Amino acid sequence: MKDVFKIGVIGCGDISTRNYVPNIMDRFRNMEIYALCDLNRERAESLAAAHGIAHVLSLDEIFEDPEIDVILNLTNPQVHYELNMRALRSGKHVYSEKPLGLNLKEASDTIALAKEKNLYVGCAPDVFLGAGVQTCRKVIEDGLIGDILSAKVANMYHGPENIHPAPDFFYKIGAGPMLDIGPYGISEMLYFMGPAEELCCYGGIGINPRPIKDHYTDVEVNTHYNGIVKFADGRCASVNFSWDTWGAENGPCVQVYGTKGSLFLSDPDNYGEGSRVHVLLEEDMRDENGKISREKTSHSGEYKKDIPLVFDCPTENRGLGLCEMIEAIKEGRPSRANGEFACHVTEVLDGFNIAIATGKPYKMQTTFQQISRMPEDFVSKMR
Ligand SMILES: NC(=O)c1ccc[n+]([C@@H]2O[C@H](COP(=O)([O-])OP(=O)(O)OC[C@H]3O[C@@H](n4cnc5c(N)ncnc54)[C@H](O)[C@@H]3O)[C@@H](O)[C@H]2O)c1
């Protein structure tokens, strides 16, 4: 098996230019970018020139080129399914930006085709492979916060329209807070708690049409969600996402509550920087006589402890999941940010929309195999 895999990138927009292409060129020694492709050829050409990438190809050419091992799909969500399926039909492994599909059918068709062709599918977000989430998982596995009872995922703010050069797509089918930011916290929650069994959710569209910079855009997707996930073993988690709230003091966060303490991850979309994982432990709530202190419990925030991260990981490390998938292909084992997991995540995201539309609980159809922790030296070995 070859040591360095050749990547064909489709989509040379914001995330490709800002994160993936520089990261792959600089950080991950098991892959190289062989070719770029974009509907806007000039965009691909200028990115290729900036990084000395040899080939700019059309869509037909990139799928047919026998040199390419993996298609990295960084296009808009509406075309992920079509392009991922085409890549698999042309015999290439796929790593896709999130979501894997706009609904369960698209995601499950994709993993079924990969299985039939004996190819790998991986999917963002891969943030759960970063040092912050990995540290949380170790805290849980080590039993520091006791038996896990429940969890909370939240991300509530006033929309992403001021941070992207062309933001209208955030309010169209395929995006909204559930499909756009939901994959981060939801993946992490599932990574901690296991497969979901049933969901319920209330929500809707808060502001329509939506003022964006110098114009208004029609909103096609729900913009606030108040949901609950029930897991197979009966435990629950609450999920709150919104792009309609000003300064809600509710995230971004993933929190896990155990019998002996609570775990706080301050930013689900972060690979690991400084001390951003905290715990609050029952033992720190006791006074000198060993009794739970009312004074301490009413100021519990002051007793949170930083947990040192289990490994060093650059804050922004997009592409880590693809890097890990390539090692999995070489070793003939399942990858971690894998298609089965992404399919379950997609069903949860879509399930919340179905629950809002029907006003009834949504019963999950898919599941996933437990995903183990990352080796703590993985990131440093791949540099
Ligand atoms: N921008 C971010 O901050 C960010 C962060 C995390 C994940 N993502 C995800 O990354 C993906 C891309 O987001 P973005 O912000 O870079 O979008 P973008 O609109 O900036 O870029 C998408 C690019 O894909 C190209 N494209 C679309 N359809 C194509 C096709 N059929 N063939 C070839 N090229 C095609 C477009 O021309 C464009 O250059 C989305 O799935 C998004 O959810 C984005």
Side-chain angles (χ1 to χ4, degrees), residues 1-7 28-32 69-70 322-331 378 381-383:
M1 176 89 49
K2 59 163 80 170
D3 198 39
V4 177
F5 276 44
K6 291 190 176 163
I7 311 296
F28 302 118
R29 62 173 175 74
N30 66 352
M31 54 176 142
E32 64 189 29
D69 302 299
V70 183
L322 169 57
C323 173
E324 197 274 338
M325 185 178 95
I326 290 171
E327 291 308 290
I329 295 171
K330 289 184 197 168
E331 293 163 20
F378 183 88
K381 273 189 174 165
M382 285 299 137
R383 276 184 199 143

Side-chain angles (χ1 to χ4, degrees), residues 200-217:
C200 52
C201 193
Y202 294 94
I205 299 177
I207 301 160
N208 195 13
R210 182 100 182 182
I212 290 190
K213 297 186 176 173
D214 56 354
H215 64 283
Y216 285 83
T217 200

Side-chain angles (χ1 to χ4, degrees), residues 198-202 226-230 351-352 355-356 360-362:
E198 191 171 298
L199 322 168
C200 52
C201 193
Y202 294 94
N226 301 288
I228 296 178
V229 179
K230 181 160 89 63
F352 278 124
I356 289 177
K360 292 184 185 152
Y362 174 83

Side-chain angles (χ1 to χ4, degrees), residues 321-353:
L322 169 57
C323 173
E324 197 274 338
M325 185 178 95
I326 290 171
E327 291 308 290
I329 295 171
K330 289 184 197 168
E331 293 163 20
R333 59 166 174 83
S335 59
R336 285 184 170 82
N338 64 56
E340 181 199 44
F341 183 57
C343 183
H344 190 75
V345 171
T346 305
E347 190 185 7
V348 170
L349 308 175
D350 192 34
F352 278 124
N353 283 322

Side-chain angles (χ1 to χ4, degrees), residues 10-15 18 38-39 43 59 74-77 79-80 83 97-98 164 169 180 184 318:
I10 307 181
C12 301
D14 186 53
I15 200 70
R18 231 170 1 106
D38 198 291
L39 283 181
R43 210 172 274 170
L59 266 184
L74 305 178
T75 60
N76 311 98
V79 290
H80 287 177
L83 298 178
E97 246 306 330
K98 48 77 181 168
H164 195 280
F169 83 90
D180 188 67
Y184 300 100
R318 283 200 164 79

Side-chain angles (χ1 to χ4, degrees), residues 150-168:
S150 62
K152 170 173 124 173
V153 180
N155 203 342
M156 303 177 76
Y157 58 109
H158 208 270
E161 49 265 43
N162 298 314
I163 57 156
H164 195 280
D168 285 63

Side-chain angles (χ1 to χ4, degrees), residues 144-256:
L144 192 63
I145 60 167
D147 295 333
I148 304 309
L149 302 171
S150 62
K152 170 173 124 173
V153 180
N155 203 342
M156 303 177 76
Y157 58 109
H158 208 270
E161 49 265 43
N162 298 314
I163 57 156
H164 195 280
D168 285 63
F169 83 90
F170 284 117
Y171 293 96
K172 306 298 175 191
I173 300 292
M178 189 51 75
L179 264 73
D180 188 67
I181 55 168
Y184 300 100
I186 297 289
S187 301
E188 290 157 18
M189 172 192 74
L190 295 169
Y191 184 56
F192 298 147
M193 306 288 285
E197 189 183 72
E198 191 171 298
L199 322 168
C200 52
C201 193
Y202 294 94
I205 299 177
I207 301 160
N208 195 13
R210 182 100 182 182
I212 290 190
K213 297 186 176 173
D214 56 354
H215 64 283
Y216 285 83
T217 200
D218 289 332
V219 179
E220 299 174 355
V221 286
N222 293 317
T223 49
H224 62 267
Y225 294 82
N226 301 288
I228 296 178
V229 179
K230 181 160 89 63
F231 299 93
D233 55 13
R235 294 177 301 172
C236 299
S238 68
V239 173
N240 293 91
F241 291 123
S242 179
W243 281 349
D244 297 333
T245 50
W246 291 109
E249 291 183 356
N250 199 2
C253 68
V254 178
Q255 302 182 353
V256 183

Side-chain angles (χ1 to χ4, degrees), residues 120-155:
Y120 279 66
V121 171
C123 187
D126 54 5
V127 186
F128 73 96
L129 305 181
V133 178
Q134 291 293 311
T135 303
C136 292
R137 179 70 179 259
K138 183 169 187 319
V139 165
I140 294 169
E141 286 180 11
D142 288 351
L144 192 63
I145 60 167
D147 295 333
I148 304 309
L149 302 171
S150 62
K152 170 173 124 173
V153 180
N155 203 342

